[in-house]
């Protein structure tokens, strides 16, 4: 199955939380059996590991990646 990765389509809000640590979610992973949300730290931890990357890509049909939101907002002086 091909996974679609969407960037710069801000759909997550400050109310969305990481499923691992409750920090603000910046990545939404949609799979056939549900959705997972991760902060940038935990998503990086998964995809930087070959086994984790393979597992998440097998699960996901869509990944909404908003990790750039933090650096973009810092440049604009905005905060969430």
């Amino acid at each position: 199955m091909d996974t679609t990765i969407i960037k710069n389509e801000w759909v997550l809000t400050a109310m969305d939380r990481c499923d691992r640590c409750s920090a603000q979610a910046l990545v939404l992973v949609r799979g056939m059996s549900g959705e997972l949300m991760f902060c940038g730290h935990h998503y990086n931890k998964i995809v930087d590991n070959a086994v984790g990357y393979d597992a998440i890509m097998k699960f996901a049909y869509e990944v909404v990646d908003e990790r750039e939101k933090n650096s973009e907002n810092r440049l604009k002086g905005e905060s969430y």
Side-chain angles (χ1 to χ4, degrees), residues 32-51:
M32 296 302 284
S33 59
E35 295 181 342
L36 297 170
M37 288 192 261
F38 298 103
C39 64
H41 165 78
H42 282 111
Y43 185 72
N44 289 341
K45 234 175 143 174
I46 291 167
V47 297
D48 287 347
N49 174 310
V51 173

Side-chain angles (χ1 to χ4, degrees), residues 1-34:
M1 174 185 340
D2 290 328
T3 301
T4 303
I5 298 177
I6 300 171
K7 292 186 177 194
N8 297 328
E9 182 184 303
W10 306 147
V11 296
L12 296 170
T13 69
M15 299 299 292
D16 294 313
R17 295 301 189 203
C18 175
D19 290 331
R20 297 284 304 196
C21 71
S22 298
Q24 182 179 350
L26 296 173
V27 180
L28 170 64
V29 181
R30 290 185 176 122
M32 296 302 284
S33 59

